[in-house]
């Protein structure tokens, strides 16, 4: 279809006729054909010029309408690029500071005075000592007597009893704080006639019932909250203002965002440390007293005999052999969500300890299914696994106490899933 101006066909046709006469002077069919061809070309040229004018007009209109928007976008992009540049500069600065701090931490590991020197530079003449040795009954009392207030930030029962007894013998108040998972607590012992640690806990708990941060985990912000409150109590006590939590225990629940305070029992007249007739007149072997190590590291319980345990290598051979058995994972659900062995049955230890009906039903069904694949009359052994091999031993003890499982062999896997990751499957997540 040709787009032509209705007023202009005759000039186009006249121009075509003149060109045809020029090219073919002799009239005839050939001249007529040349004239028609030239006329067609001129008409198409006219159409092209009309389209070009229309496009030029539309383009000008589009540009006029959108140029302000384009300018705004350009300004916005420039702002984004500027923020990216600022963020990149901040990341580089943080990287430099982290490298600087890491270098000082490494130096502190080689020389215990390095970190103290850095802190002294930041805090001025605060007189920070560099203590490179662990606290022991032989050194604790002399060390505590050098200071007016002691803060206990330890994560094991032997150290808590050691520090508390040393503070009682030296006549020093003890600001104690602890945290586990999403919870924390704070109190001040042996201040103004208040109770000491032994007044509240005369006897240490069984070692297998104690969970430290290395085993149970702790949210860093929780320790930050308790650390700030503990520092505040230390400052108030040192300044003579008096602590807020002497004879009271502050409980912090990070999940609910709650603080609540409970009153502790008063100083016990029969307390072995601060009572009317104390029997603790010198520091003792607190690891023997508590039945556990004075360390914050993951500890290894020994609740079972070697015959009641199996190594990860032996269990891997049993698994590869295809012998019917049941692997029971007793970790909390949050840990199972991180990683698990696909063939393991998951029942948390706490459910086993309270004989949860639904868990007993699931376990019974799994045992019956295992017997179907075993030879007639053969029992299906149960192997219990956890993260480190501690909770699995507790679970074996629980299962062994059930009379309906007397005929079954129950063992735990030594070292748990972390031993599996280290010795069997290097791709298995470690957490």
């Amino acid at each position: 279809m040709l787009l032509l101006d209705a007023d202009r066909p005759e000039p186009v046709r006249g121009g075509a006729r003149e060109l045809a006469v020029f090219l073919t002077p002799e009239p005839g069919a050939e001249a007529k054909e040349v004239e028609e061809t030239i006329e067609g070309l001129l008409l198409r040229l006219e159409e092209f010029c009309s389209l070009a004018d229309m496009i030029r007009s539309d383009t000008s209109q589009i540009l006029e309408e959108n140029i302000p928007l384009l300018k705004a976008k350009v300004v916005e992009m420039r702002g984004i690029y500027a923020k990216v540049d600022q963020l990149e500069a901040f990341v580089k600065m943080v990287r430099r500071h982290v490298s600087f701090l890491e270098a000082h931490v490494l130096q502190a590991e080689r020389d215990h005075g390095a970190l103290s020197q850095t802190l002294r530079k930041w805090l001025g003449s605060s007189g920070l000592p560099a203590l490179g040795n662990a606290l022991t009954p032989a050194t604790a009392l002399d060390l505590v007597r050098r200071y007016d207030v002691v803060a206990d930030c330890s994560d094991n029962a032997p150290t808590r009893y050691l520090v508390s007894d040393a503070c009682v013998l030296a006549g020093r108040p003890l600001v104690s704080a602890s945290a586990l998972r999403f919870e924390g607590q704070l109190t001040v012992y042996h201040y103004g006639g208040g109770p000491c640690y032994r007044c509240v806990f005369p006897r240490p708990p069984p070692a297998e019932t104690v969970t430290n941060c290395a085993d149970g985990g702790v949210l860093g912000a929780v320790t930050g909250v308790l650390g700030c409150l503990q520092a505040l109590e230390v400052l108030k006590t040192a300044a003579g203002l008096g602590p807020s939590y002497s004879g009271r225990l502050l409980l912090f629940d990070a999940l609910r965002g709650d603080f609540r305070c409970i009153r502790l029992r008063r100083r016990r007249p029969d307390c072995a440390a601060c009572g009317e007739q104390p029997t603790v007149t010198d520091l003792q072997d607190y690891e023997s007293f508590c039945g556990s190590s004075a360390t914050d590291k993951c500890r290894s319980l020994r609740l079972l005999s070697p015959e009641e345990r199996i190594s990860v290598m032996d269990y891997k051979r049993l698994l590869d052999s295809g012998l019917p058995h049941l692997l029971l994972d007793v970790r909390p659900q949050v840990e199972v969500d991180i990683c698990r062995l696909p063939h393991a049955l998951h029942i948390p230890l706490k459910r086993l300890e309270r004989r949860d009906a639904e868990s007993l039903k699931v376990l019974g069904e799994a045992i019956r299914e295992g017997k179907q694949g075993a030879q007639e009359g053969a029992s299906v052994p149960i192997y219990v696994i956890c993260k480190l091999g501690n909770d699995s031993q507790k679970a074996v003890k629980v299962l062994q106490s059930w009379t309906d499982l007397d005929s079954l062999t129950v063992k735990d896997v030594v070292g748990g899933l972390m031993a599996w990751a280290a010795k069997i499957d290097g791709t298995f997540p470690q957490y």
Side-chain angles (χ1 to χ4, degrees):
M1 180 179 67
L2 299 178
L3 301 177
L4 298 177
D5 189 339
D7 298 333
R8 300 182 64 183
E10 184 58 36
V12 170
R13 191 174 297 110
R17 188 180 303 113
E18 293 178 359
L19 283 173
V21 171
F22 176 77
L23 295 173
T24 54
E26 297 295 330
E30 182 180 1
K32 185 65 175 176
E33 182 179 357
V34 170
E35 180 181 346
E36 292 176 354
T37 301
I38 293 175
E39 183 179 351
L41 291 173
L42 291 176
L43 290 173
R44 284 175 173 78
L45 180 60
E46 182 72 14
E47 177 186 8
F48 175 77
C49 293
S50 298
L51 287 173
D53 290 339
M54 183 178 65
I55 291 171
R56 187 182 300 109
S57 176
D58 291 343
T59 302
S60 299
Q61 182 180 358
I62 291 173
L63 289 175
E64 289 176 359
E65 293 176 354
N66 290 278
I67 279 177
L69 179 61
L70 291 173
K71 288 182 177 179
K73 289 293 183 182
V74 169
V75 173
E76 181 181 353
M77 291 304 297
R78 286 176 178 172
I80 293 174
Y81 289 146
K83 291 180 179 179
V84 170
D85 292 339
Q86 293 174 359
L87 180 59
E88 183 178 5
F90 176 75
V91 170
K92 290 180 178 178
M93 180 187 69
V94 170
R95 187 182 296 119
R96 288 196 301 270
H97 282 282
V98 169
S99 299
F100 171 80
L101 181 59
E102 183 180 12
H104 277 267
V105 170
L106 292 175
Q107 177 64 26
E109 293 179 354
R110 293 188 295 267
D111 178 3
H112 295 288
L115 188 58
S116 176
Q117 292 170 7
T118 302
L119 290 175
R120 189 177 293 110
K121 183 186 301 182
W122 290 344
L123 301 178
S125 57
S126 56
L128 295 173
L131 304 176
N133 299 319
L135 193 68
T136 66
T139 61
L141 188 57
D142 178 65
L143 181 63
V144 167
R145 283 173 174 160
R146 302 178 195 174
Y147 302 95
D148 298 321
V149 185
V150 177
D152 180 11
C153 312
S154 61
D155 188 29
N156 63 85
T159 302
R160 288 173 183 162
Y161 278 98
L162 168 62
V163 174
S164 176
D165 287 354
C167 286
V168 171
L169 293 174
R172 300 292 188 269
L174 173 62
V175 182
S176 176
S178 62
L180 182 67
R181 298 190 178 100
F182 297 95
E183 300 176 347
Q185 58 188 33
L186 169 71
T187 190
V188 178
Y189 292 116
H190 194 245
Y191 179 88
C196 72
Y197 187 75
R198 280 185 184 263
C199 291
V200 182
F201 305 101
R203 290 175 298 277
E208 65 271 14
T209 65
V210 179
T211 302
N212 61 16
C213 293
D215 290 331
V218 63
L219 190 64
V222 175
T223 59
V225 171
L226 269 297
C228 289
L229 293 172
Q230 186 178 21
L232 181 60
E233 290 296 282
V234 169
L235 292 174
K236 290 192 298 183
T237 304
L241 301 176
S244 300
Y245 300 106
S246 175
R248 300 196 301 162
L249 180 67
L250 176 68
L251 301 175
F252 173 52
D253 185 341
L255 282 180
R256 298 179 57 185
D258 286 345
F259 287 91
R260 64 190 184 95
C261 196
I262 61 175
R263 185 166 295 279
L264 298 176
R265 65 179 64 179
R266 295 184 178 181
R267 184 173 67 86
R268 297 169 60 105
D270 60 344
C271 176
C274 68
E276 296 175 355
Q277 294 180 339
T279 57
V280 178
T281 57
D282 200 359
L283 301 181
Q284 61 191 73
D285 184 352
Y286 291 90
E287 291 188 340
S288 299
F289 175 67
C290 298
S292 60
S293 300
T295 175
D296 297 345
K297 306 301 181 183
C298 296
R299 66 197 187 284
S300 297
L301 298 180
R302 286 177 174 81
L303 306 178
L304 305 175
S305 65
E307 293 75 21
E308 295 173 307
R309 314 192 72 186
I310 184 173
S311 68
V312 289
M313 289 80 73
D314 289 340
Y315 176 74
K316 180 63 166 61
R317 284 191 285 269
L318 181 145
L319 182 64
D320 293 340
S321 69
L323 291 176
H325 71 281
L326 174 63
L327 179 65
L328 182 61
D329 189 337
V330 296
R331 295 175 298 154
Q333 183 64 51
V334 65
E335 295 186 34
V336 174
D337 291 339
I338 298 174
C339 58
R340 64 179 300 175
L341 293 177
H343 61 285
L345 172 67
H346 175 232
I347 300 179
L349 173 62
K350 289 185 177 180
R351 293 188 180 181
L352 294 177
E353 290 175 334
R354 64 172 183 258
R355 296 181 69 92
D356 178 71
E358 183 63 28
S359 299
L360 293 178
K361 179 181 177 182
V362 171
L363 180 59
E365 292 176 352
I367 293 174
R368 285 191 291 273
E369 291 178 4
K371 286 184 177 180
Q372 294 177 358
Q375 296 180 357
E376 186 175 354
S379 62
V380 178
I382 300 176
Y383 297 96
V384 187
I385 197 167
C386 64
K387 178 185 177 182
L388 299 168
N390 291 335
D391 284 351
S392 57
Q393 295 184 69
K394 301 176 188 178
V396 169
K397 285 292 187 182
V398 172
L399 295 175
Q400 289 175 342
S401 68
W402 295 358
T403 56
D404 47 349
L405 294 179
D406 284 344
S407 60
L408 295 179
T409 300
V410 184
K411 297 185 177 183
D412 96 296
V413 181
V414 178
L417 290 170
M418 296 302 96
W420 179 272
K423 300 177 181 179
I424 304 300
D425 183 4
T427 64
F428 194 83
Q430 298 191 41
Y431 62 97

